[in-house]
């Protein structure tokens, strides 16, 4: 019999202790933090699933590359290695390093957009939306209708609605649409992949109207692997070949190296357009740095140069996708409502279905995230009414999995904690705001348990 068990494709050379706390300690810490997990110190967290951004473990090759980093202000060989890696995988003429993905977005929208423009995307990530709106353009989300139903299965639930894209261009006129973006995988839509067929269909529409297509490439390797697994005709191709094909359909990309760059910091902006590249580099010098380092240390550039290649290794991608699904499938099997199917980097609990007795105005996502912390010291993040205000259509709790950090026994522990909270769900109360900031309130909001609440049987 062939061996079926999938294992972590690495062994552990350096360890970082994590600290257990008691139920009582966590209850006190949570009260002191105003029921906001952003305000809890990481030393008081046992399993931190707040984000997969910059929280991954680097490999021995990456640490070796860090020592090779050359910190020269201009013309560093670290930049040469970085540019070679990026160009080999992404294939674009110009590679502009930035300190994070959002810096690439800011430069891109500053150069390409003006007030009154529209930028369609399958779903804008929050920093992408904010940077787009900051220059006065409208950030328009055009996900396929299936994406709005958490429990609905679809192999490429991250796809863009191409009919609505064509209508939007028809209606607004191509002149008002300086670029179209595709986010792979669709982070805000549940870490769901975009198919090659959809990228090609979007490209065809863009080409017809002379509109450039840019890819928000943060999880390009995970997206490429989903295409290999799910899209007819791609089973025999390598993730690298699939990534090359994805990028060949676009005119440029933005990237956060904190995701599939396997680094703790960094990002970049790519384009094939010589004139745009010049304008982008001029802006880069103003706030990020000289074009051969762009706000990064030479050692960061070297870590990314290695990390981008490691993210495309099939053993790694198989482990990554299988281990995320392992968490999702185990809790879903017991009836826990999640966004289906499991995404690449995270599992999203559907808090409205999990806590039907807590109305959206009493923040079911925050209440559920707090319950996971008190039960087992797990930190997750609400994506719902707290983050988006009363217009939120869903209240989700995202469990993002850092790359190469936790083992299967950690995930088994997370499953047990979630199932314990699921058993006790009828006792979970909603929350009321006691403090909020005028914008991005989720980072600093404070709560107290809701006063009177009718507890329904579930
Ligand atoms: C993380 C992320 C960004 C922004 O990158 P930062 O490095 O956090 O600035 C943009 N788009 C998507 C889809 C992301 O996941």
């Amino acid at each position: 019999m062939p061996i079926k068990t999938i294992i972590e494709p690495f062994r552990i050379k350096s360890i970082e202790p994590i600290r257990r706390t008691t139920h009582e300690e966590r209850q006190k810490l949570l009260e002191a933090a105003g029921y906001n997990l952003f305000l809890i110190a990481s030393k008081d967290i046992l399993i931190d699933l707040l984000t997969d951004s910059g929280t991954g473990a680097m490999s021995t090759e990456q640490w070796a590359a860090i020592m090779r980093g050359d910190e020269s202000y201009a013309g560093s060989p670290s930049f040469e290695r970085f540019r070679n890696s990026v160009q080999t995988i992404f294939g674009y003429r110009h590679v502009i390093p930035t300190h994070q993905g959002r810096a690439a977005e800011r430069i891109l929208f500053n150069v390409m957009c003006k007030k009154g423009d529209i930028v369609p995307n399958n779903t804008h990530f929050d920093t992408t939306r904010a940077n787009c709106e900051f220059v006065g353009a409208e950030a328009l989300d055009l996900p396929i209708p299936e994406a709005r139903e958490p429990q609905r299965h679809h192999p490429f639930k991250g796809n863009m609605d191409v009919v609505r894209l064509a209508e939007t261009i028809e209606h607004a006129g191509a002149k008002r649409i300086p670029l179209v973006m595709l986010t792979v995988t669709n982070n805000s839509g549940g870490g769901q992949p975009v198919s090659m067929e959809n990228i090609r269909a979007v490209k065809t529409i863009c080409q017809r109207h002379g509109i450039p297509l840019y890819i928000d490439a943060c999880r390009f390797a995970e997206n490429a692997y989903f295409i290999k697994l799910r899209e007819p005709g791609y089973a025999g191709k390598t993730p690298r070949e699939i990534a090359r094909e994805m990028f060949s359909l676009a005119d440029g990309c933005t990237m956060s190296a904190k995701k599939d760059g396997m680094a703790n910091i960094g990002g970049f902006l790519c384009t094939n357009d010589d004139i745009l590249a010049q304008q982008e580099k001029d802006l880069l010098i103003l706030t990020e740095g000289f074009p051969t380092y762009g706000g990064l240390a030479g050692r960061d550039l070297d870590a990314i140069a290695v990390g981008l290649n490691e993210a495309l290794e099939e053993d790694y991608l198989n482990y990554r996708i299988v281990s995320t699904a392992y968490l999702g499938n185990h809790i879903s099997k017991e009836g826990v409502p999640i966004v289906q199917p499991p995404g690449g980097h995270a599992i999203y609990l559907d808090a409205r279905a999990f806590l039907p007795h807590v109305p959206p105005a009493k923040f079911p996502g925050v209440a559920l995230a707090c319950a996971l912390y008190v039960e087992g010291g797990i930190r997750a993040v609400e994506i719902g009414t707290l983050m988006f205000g009363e217009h939120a259509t869903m209240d989700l709790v995202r469990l993002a999995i850092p790359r190469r950090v936790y083992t299967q026994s950690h995930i088994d522990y997370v499953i047990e904690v979630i199932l314990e909270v699921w058993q006790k769900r009828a006792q979970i109360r909603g929350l009321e705001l006691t403090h909020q900031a005028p914008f991005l309130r989720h980072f600093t909001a404070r709560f107290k348990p809701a006063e009177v609440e009718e507890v329904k049987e579930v």
Side-chain angles (χ1 to χ4, degrees):
M1 287 268 279
I3 303 296
K4 286 206 254 347
T5 306
I6 292 162
I7 59 169
E8 287 83 4
F10 48 80
R11 54 185 179 179
I12 296 163
K13 179 176 261 178
S14 176
I15 63 102
E16 192 176 6
I18 50 178
R19 194 174 72 95
R20 282 182 177 278
T21 47
T22 65
H23 203 279
E24 204 184 357
E25 281 171 328
R26 291 192 291 274
Q27 187 62 51
K28 284 211 181 89
L29 287 161
L30 191 62
E31 275 166 39
Y35 296 84
N36 185 341
L37 298 175
F38 278 107
L39 304 179
I40 291 192
S42 63
K43 70 172 174 43
D44 297 323
I45 307 285
L46 187 62
I47 307 279
D48 204 344
L49 307 181
L50 185 66
T51 176
D52 67 321
S53 177
T55 53
M58 290 206 292
S59 66
T60 45
E61 286 304 319
Q62 282 180 293
W63 283 108
I66 289 234
M67 282 308 293
R68 218 177 292 128
D70 178 310
E71 305 303 340
S72 305
Y73 192 94
S76 157
S78 295
F79 177 70
E80 295 294 315
R81 291 188 283 266
F82 168 82
R83 187 175 54 190
N84 283 346
S85 262
V86 176
Q87 280 180 333
T88 309
I89 297 165
F90 293 71
Y92 299 116
R93 192 146 64 235
H94 300 281
V95 179
I96 299 169
T98 58
H99 81 282
Q100 278 192 226
R102 67 196 67 186
E105 292 165 353
R106 189 185 66 80
I107 291 170
L108 178 73
F109 292 132
N110 254 285
V111 167
M112 293 191 79
C113 300
K114 59 180 191 310
K115 201 168 180 312
D117 285 347
I118 301 170
V119 180
N121 199 325
N122 44 354
T123 310
H124 288 269
F125 180 66
D126 59 3
T127 60
T128 321
R129 167 173 294 279
N131 274 297
C132 182
E133 290 173 350
F134 193 70
V135 297
E138 181 192 340
L140 180 66
D141 290 342
L142 299 175
I144 54 170
E146 288 88 339
R148 298 191 196 277
E149 295 170 58
Q151 326 276 328
R152 180 81 174 261
H153 278 265
H154 187 291
F156 292 102
K157 219 176 172 181
N159 282 355
M160 178 180 273
D161 187 333
V162 286
V163 175
R164 285 190 62 205
L165 174 65
E167 283 170 5
T168 303
I169 300 173
E170 210 68 38
H171 192 249
K175 280 209 168 59
R176 277 183 64 202
I177 303 177
L179 75 159
V180 170
M181 285 191 96
L182 266 177
T183 306
V184 302
T185 59
N186 188 350
N187 183 1
S188 309
Q192 303 290 335
V194 178
S195 69
M196 194 72 82
E197 188 186 21
N198 190 250
I199 302 176
R200 191 167 285 112
V202 170
K203 171 68 181 174
T204 304
I205 294 172
C206 288
Q207 221 160 19
R208 195 181 307 144
H209 297 277
I211 301 171
L213 171 64
Y214 275 70
I215 292 183
D216 179 340
C218 297
R219 296 178 184 80
F220 75 98
E222 290 172 13
N223 200 87
Y225 196 64
F226 276 121
I227 288 176
K228 181 181 170 77
L229 294 179
R230 296 180 185 172
E231 192 160 348
Y234 288 92
K237 296 212 157 97
T238 63
R240 180 182 294 274
E241 288 166 337
I242 297 170
R244 262 315 270 267
E245 187 175 335
M246 283 161 49
F247 293 119
S248 74
L249 295 168
D251 301 281
C253 74
T254 56
M255 173 74 186
S256 168
K258 303 174 73 170
K259 322 297 178 33
D260 279 351
M262 304 286 231
N264 300 122
I265 196 72
F268 52 87
L269 170 59
C270 292
T271 179
N272 281 332
D273 186 315
D274 297 342
I275 296 167
L276 283 179
Q278 193 51 54
Q279 293 170 349
E280 286 162 358
K281 284 179 195 167
D282 291 345
L283 261 184
L284 186 83
I285 292 180
L286 197 61
T287 54
E288 292 283 302
F290 193 70
T292 61
Y293 74 86
L296 294 170
R299 55 178 171 268
D300 298 327
L301 295 168
D302 267 305
I304 298 166
V306 175
L308 288 169
N309 288 299
E310 291 181 352
L312 285 167
E313 284 169 12
E314 275 202 59
D315 267 357
Y316 160 73
L317 282 168
N318 187 34
Y319 141 79
R320 173 80 176 150
I321 301 304
V322 165
S323 59
T324 303
Y326 178 88
L327 168 58
N329 293 337
H330 271 77
I331 56 176
S332 164
K333 198 175 71 199
E334 302 297 326
V336 177
I338 64 166
V339 174
Q340 292 284 5
H345 69 292
I347 294 299
Y348 296 69
L349 306 178
D350 181 352
R352 283 190 194 173
F354 199 115
L355 303 175
H357 57 285
V358 179
K362 299 237 168 106
F363 305 99
V366 182
L368 179 53
C370 287
L372 295 174
Y373 177 68
V374 172
E375 191 62 43
I378 296 168
R379 175 154 64 179
V381 66
E382 187 249 22
I383 300 191
T385 306
L386 174 62
M387 194 176 274
F388 301 122
E390 66 211 31
H391 306 296
T393 53
M394 295 189 271
D395 277 284
L396 305 177
V397 172
R398 186 185 73 182
L399 305 154
I401 321 283
R403 292 168 182 76
R404 306 188 291 204
V405 169
Y406 295 116
T407 64
Q408 186 175 333
S409 68
H410 290 118
I411 299 300
D412 284 333
Y413 172 85
V414 172
I415 291 167
E416 191 179 341
V417 171
I418 294 170
L419 294 180
E420 188 61 27
V421 171
W422 176 240
Q423 290 310 317
K424 299 177 180 166
R425 63 194 182 279
Q427 295 155 34
I428 297 172
R429 294 163 66 188
L431 294 161
E432 281 169 15
L433 275 168
T434 59
H435 163 82
Q436 61 176 316
F439 48 85
L440 293 174
R441 64 177 183 169
H442 50 287
F443 291 118
T444 54
R446 298 180 77 89
F447 297 88
K448 62 176 187 186
E451 289 293 330
V452 219
E453 200 172 281
E454 199 185 321
V455 179
K456 270 192 277 178
E457 279 303 311
V458 285

